[in-house]
Amino acid sequence: MAKLYFYYASMNAGKSTTLLQADFNYRERGLTTMLFTAGIDTREGAGTIGSRIGLAMPAATFDGDSDLHARIAAQHRDHPVGCVLVDEAQFLSEAQVDQLARVADELGVPVLAYGLRTDFRGALFPGSARLLAIADALIELKSVCTCGRKATMNLRVDEDGNAVREGAQTEIGGNDRYVALCRRHFCEAMRG
């Protein structure tokens, strides 16, 4: 029975690296995979899943209007898909998460979704909230705070390294814009 998996973590936990390793394992066994990433994230180039350790693979992109079930079902009819892997899953809509659940339930294809649990204010992303609600398996990937404790929060910082407390939920960036922290240090930074 295929399942919907949600691998979640703070920034810099190796989500994309883990996704690319899983993709390699499926392909090494001769199985076809489909990779998706958010079209809004162009840090590695449009339609590329890239990791901080230098691994990268091309991927199909999704935006708010993408019907992922239809795209996967069309591919699956012509060339059976062994696994679907989704990077930046926090940017999925609730409806798209439901579409991915249907891929697992109706098409029998496992779906591995990787993303952030919370934004820079500590609030759930809509896609992450839906994945936490309906995924068959929730797997937390670990990152480390500067104090050595488990990092669970994503602090957005300005060009001087100061905490950003307001703004749009989505702002693409890497180490220059975000710092993974434990809850204690995140709260201290947000209080100023």
Side-chain angles (χ1 to χ4, degrees):
M1 179 172 130
K3 294 182 179 180
L4 172 60
Y5 299 84
F6 182 34
Y7 294 83
Y8 65 93
S10 63
M11 299 283 291
N12 301 327
K15 295 177 298 298
S16 297
T17 303
T18 304
L19 179 154
L20 293 170
Q21 180 64 51
D23 174 63
F24 177 82
N25 291 343
Y26 274 93
R27 288 185 298 104
E28 187 177 44
R29 303 296 185 276
L31 299 167
T32 300
T33 60
M34 289 185 76
L35 277 64
F36 289 93
T37 190
I40 191 172
D41 185 359
T42 58
R43 289 175 293 167
E44 299 293 327
T48 301
I49 297 173
S51 70
R52 290 177 296 118
I53 64 171
L55 302 173
M57 285 290 291
T61 60
F62 66 85
D63 61 24
D65 296 326
S66 299
D67 185 335
L68 298 176
H69 182 272
R71 290 170 68 181
I72 296 163
Q75 170 73 24
H76 191 59
R77 273 191 300 276
D78 297 334
H79 303 286
V81 176
C83 185
V84 172
L85 300 104
V86 181
D87 199 29
E88 304 295 346
Q90 69 272 11
F91 298 133
L92 293 165
S93 68
E94 290 182 9
Q96 288 168 329
V97 172
D98 291 341
Q99 292 166 12
L100 294 173
R102 288 182 52 218
V103 168
D105 296 344
E106 297 171 10
L107 302 178
V109 177
V111 177
L112 286 61
Y114 297 78
L116 299 173
R117 182 177 55 129
T118 59
D119 67 14
F120 75 104
R121 296 168 299 194
L124 291 170
F125 285 95
S128 300
R130 189 66 180 151
L131 281 161
L132 288 167
I134 70 167
D136 297 298
L138 303 172
I139 302 98
E140 182 180 25
L141 301 175
K142 307 292 192 289
S143 185
V144 180
C145 180
T146 56
C147 70
R149 292 176 54 192
K150 179 174 75 172
T152 58
M153 310 300 287
N154 305 299
L155 180 70
R156 185 183 291 168
V157 295
D158 63 18
E159 56 278 350
D160 296 320
N162 300 310
V164 174
R165 293 172 186 83
E166 295 181 10
Q169 183 177 46
T170 300
E171 184 176 310
I172 303 301
N175 293 344
D176 60 325
R177 297 292 295 145
Y178 293 94
V179 179
L181 297 174
C182 66
R183 183 182 62 240
R184 176 183 169 197
H185 287 112
F186 172 83
C187 291
E188 287 175 1
M190 291 300 277
R191 282 193 298 267

